């Protein structure tokens, strides 16, 4: 798979606007200097050509150079402004046709850069998942990603208003938890649990805890039984009654726990089965459940508990996110590195991820291609004409100055060639 893909190309560092403007001024100075040199040479050779006939060739070359330089100066200048301030037709093309240029540029980008074929073809040759995995496999890079992610989450959490969040959570809970009827779902769930016998483990656990509590708290029976007996009974009788009741209670609990077919267990099963049925079909039972549910969720104490729970969870989460040496960050960094290494080592997984990334990019391009082009069009159209001229000239003006330089050189050669041919023809005749 790696033989087909190539890595992500290195980004070329482009010069800044200030550097481009400096280069543009230098090229303008060079092109203008050549015109001045040609003019000086023309003036000197024109003045001395009668004394030195060979200077006629120099004069012709200088004359052609001046013509070529002036013609190309006019052509280049006419793109950006009026030459010498004269409103000559078809000059100052860019500021006068700014809106049309913006629309054309937007359409050009949409057609030639954001088409499905171009995007799919470009992404199909780049191993995006592999490049990301190679970068994230380095612990330092993974640490940076986790740190930036945690900073972002912490910043978002800091913007959240606790009261609004509590209200939002309460609204979600009321809509999706409180508002729906509970009776039928709970009844069906109870039927499934009873039919599978899953409740027996809960009953066994409850009986175990009850037996442990009875063993650890034998004096609890005194408050229930012996203290209610007549005061004239001897104390040993009270203790005997307490001990007897305590032993019988433990014996009953153990017998129920050890006998899966105990009559109390069967009674409990029958009661639970009837309750599950009534929750589904008995309107009175369903209404009582809904009333109890409403009272519970409307209780101010429950709302205060929910608010305090949210604040405590939020504080704990922020503390964990902010701790640069905490366990949460270390685990997150290790997780990122592990995932990156798995992607790098698994060709099929990497191919699947690249396919998904390409599909996501195509979806975004298809959905927002016109919007992106429209943004380009609107941006160019919103520019001030002079601003547009300055931006475009800064970007391409330096290269356009070569037209002036080439025009000067070509004009000089053309002038020399024409003068030479004219002189040769006149010599023949």
């Amino acid at each position: 798979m790696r033989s087909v893909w190539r890595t992500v190309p290195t980004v070329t560092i482009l010069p800044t606007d200030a550097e481009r403007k400096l280069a543009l001024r230098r090229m303008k100075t060079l092109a203008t200097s050549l015109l001045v040199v040609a003019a000086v040479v023309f003036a000197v050779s024109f003045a001395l050509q009668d004394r030195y006939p060979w200077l006629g060739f120099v004069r012709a070359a200088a004359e052609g150079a001046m013509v070529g330089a002036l013609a190309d100066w006019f052509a280049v200048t006419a793109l950006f402004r009026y030459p010498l301030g004269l409103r000559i037709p078809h000059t100052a093309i860019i500021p006068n046709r700014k809106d049309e240029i913006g629309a054309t540029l937007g359409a050009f980008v949409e057609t030639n850069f954001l088409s499905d074929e171009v995007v799919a073809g470009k992404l199909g040759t780049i191993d995006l998942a592999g490049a990301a995995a190679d970068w994230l496999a380095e612990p330092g890079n993974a640490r940076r990603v986790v740190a930036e992610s945690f900073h972002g989450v912490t910043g978002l959490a800091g913007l959240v208003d606790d009261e609004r969040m509590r209200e939002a959570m309460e609204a979600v809970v009321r809509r999706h938890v409180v508002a729906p009827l509970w009776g039928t779902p709970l009844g069906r769930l109870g039927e499934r649990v009873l039919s599978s016998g899953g409740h027996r483990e809960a009953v066994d656990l409850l009986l175990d805890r009850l037996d442990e509590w009875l063993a650890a708290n034998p004096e609890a029976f005194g408050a229930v039984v012996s203290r209610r007996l007549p005061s004239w009974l001897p104390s040993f009788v009270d203790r005997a009654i307490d001990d007897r009741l305590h032993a019988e209670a433990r014996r009953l609990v153990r017998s129920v726990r050890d006998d899966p077919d105990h009559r109390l267990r069967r009674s409990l099963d029958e009661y639970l089965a009837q309750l599950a049925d009534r929750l589904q079909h008995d309107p009175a039972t369903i209404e009582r459940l809904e009333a109890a549910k409403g009272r519970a969720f409307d209780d101010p104490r429950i709302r205060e508990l929910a608010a305090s729970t949210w604040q405590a969870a939020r504080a704990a989460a922020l503390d964990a996110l902010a701790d640069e040496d905490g366990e949460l960050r270390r685990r997150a960094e290790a997780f990122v590195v592990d995932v990156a290494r798995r992607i790098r080592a698994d060709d099929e997984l990497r191919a699947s991820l690249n396919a998904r990334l390409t599909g996501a990019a195509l979806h975004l391009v298809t959905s927002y291609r016109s919007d992106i082009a429209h943004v380009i069009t609107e941006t160019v159209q919103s520019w001030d004409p002079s601003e547009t001229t300055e931006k475009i000239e800064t970007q391409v003006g330096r290269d356009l100055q070569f037209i002036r330089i080439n025009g000067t050189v070509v004009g000089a050669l053309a002038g020399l060639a024409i003068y030479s041919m004219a002189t040769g023809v006149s010599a023949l005749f």
Side-chain angles (χ1 to χ4, degrees):
M1 191 64 68
R2 283 191 180 275
S3 61
V4 177
W5 287 322
R6 58 185 175 85
T7 57
V8 179
T10 303
V11 177
T12 303
I13 299 177
L14 299 176
T16 63
D17 286 348
E19 294 171 340
R20 290 181 183 275
K21 289 179 180 180
L22 178 60
L24 174 61
R25 286 196 297 269
R26 289 175 176 173
M27 292 303 299
K28 280 186 175 181
T29 301
L30 175 60
T32 303
S33 299
L34 291 178
L35 173 60
V36 172
V37 170
V40 171
V41 171
F42 172 79
V44 172
S45 59
F46 182 80
L48 299 177
Q49 66 179 350
D50 291 338
R51 182 181 305 177
Y52 305 102
W54 60 269
L55 287 177
F57 292 93
V58 177
R59 177 194 61 78
E63 186 176 12
M66 287 192 299
V67 172
L70 289 172
D72 288 333
W73 166 83
F74 181 90
V76 172
T77 302
L79 289 173
F80 303 104
R81 56 188 59 84
Y82 294 110
L84 301 178
L86 302 176
R87 292 184 172 272
I88 303 172
H90 303 293
T91 57
I93 295 174
I94 290 177
N96 288 332
R97 302 182 63 182
K98 172 179 64 68
D99 293 348
E100 183 179 347
I101 292 173
T104 302
L105 180 60
F108 179 80
V109 171
E110 180 178 1
T111 303
N112 295 279
F113 291 92
L114 299 178
S115 65
D116 293 347
E117 295 78 8
V118 171
V119 174
K122 185 67 175 179
L123 294 179
T125 62
I126 300 176
D127 184 10
L128 292 175
D134 290 340
W135 190 79
L136 290 173
E138 297 295 329
N141 296 331
R143 187 176 303 111
R144 177 181 175 185
V145 170
V146 171
E148 294 297 334
S149 301
F150 279 20
H151 283 314
V153 173
T154 303
L156 289 176
L159 297 176
V160 175
D161 181 73
D162 287 341
E163 183 63 23
R164 290 183 180 274
M165 178 57 68
R166 187 192 63 77
E167 293 175 355
M169 293 176 63
E170 182 178 348
V172 172
V173 170
R174 286 191 174 276
R175 179 177 179 181
H176 297 284
V177 178
V178 181
L181 295 177
W182 283 16
T184 300
L186 286 178
R188 291 174 180 171
L189 177 62
E191 281 187 349
R192 296 194 189 97
V193 173
L194 291 172
S195 62
S196 64
H199 67 293
R200 295 191 182 94
E201 294 182 0
V203 173
D204 292 341
L205 179 62
L206 178 61
L207 291 172
D208 287 338
R209 299 288 83 78
L210 181 58
D211 184 50
E212 292 175 1
W213 184 85
L214 289 173
N217 300 276
E219 72 282 354
F221 281 83
V224 179
V225 180
S226 60
R227 293 179 185 176
R228 298 177 182 273
L229 296 176
S231 59
W232 48 266
L233 287 175
S235 60
F236 73 89
V237 175
D238 296 347
R239 289 194 298 273
I241 293 174
D242 290 342
D243 293 341
R244 179 67 177 177
L245 290 175
H246 179 258
E248 289 297 327
R250 290 199 64 190
R251 186 179 299 109
L252 175 62
V253 170
R254 288 196 295 268
S255 65
V256 175
R257 181 191 61 190
D258 298 335
D259 184 4
D261 197 38
H262 197 279
R263 60 186 181 85
L264 288 181
R265 282 183 179 266
R266 293 198 303 270
S267 298
L268 178 61
D269 291 348
E270 292 174 1
Y271 171 76
L272 293 176
Q274 292 174 4
L275 178 60
D277 182 72
R278 287 197 297 269
L279 285 174
Q280 297 180 74
H281 306 105
D282 183 21
T285 303
I286 295 174
E287 184 177 354
R288 289 175 60 187
L289 175 63
E290 293 300 316
K293 178 188 68 176
R295 288 193 300 271
F297 280 96
D298 289 335
D299 191 333
R301 291 173 296 181
I302 299 297
R303 301 182 68 180
E304 291 176 2
L305 176 62
S308 61
T309 301
W310 156 250
Q311 292 174 355
R314 177 177 177 273
L318 290 178
D319 290 342
L321 292 174
D323 187 2
E324 296 183 358
D325 298 322
E327 181 68 17
L328 181 59
R329 287 211 180 192
R330 289 199 299 271
R331 288 183 178 273
E333 292 167 8
F335 173 77
V336 171
V337 172
D338 182 63
V339 170
R341 289 174 178 173
R342 289 176 182 272
I343 294 173
R344 188 169 57 180
D346 191 334
D347 290 344
E348 292 184 1
L349 177 59
R350 195 167 59 254
S352 176
L353 289 174
N354 281 318
R356 291 177 182 273
L357 290 172
T358 301
L362 288 176
H363 173 72
L364 291 175
V365 167
T366 302
S367 301
Y368 301 104
R369 176 168 46 218
S370 298
D371 294 333
I372 296 174
H374 190 61
V375 168
I376 296 174
T377 300
E378 285 189 340
T379 300
V380 175
Q381 292 177 349
S382 66
W383 287 345
D384 180 76
S386 59
E387 181 185 5
T388 305
T389 301
E390 181 181 358
K391 287 179 179 294
I392 297 178
E393 186 175 17
T394 299
Q395 297 298 318
V396 301
R398 177 181 179 277
D399 295 326
L400 292 178
Q401 297 306 310
F402 281 104
I403 296 177
R404 295 177 57 190
I405 295 173
N406 293 336
T408 303
V409 175
V410 172
L413 295 176
L416 179 61
I418 293 172
Y419 182 79
S420 298
M421 288 188 293
T423 302
V425 171
S426 62
L428 292 175
F429 296 98

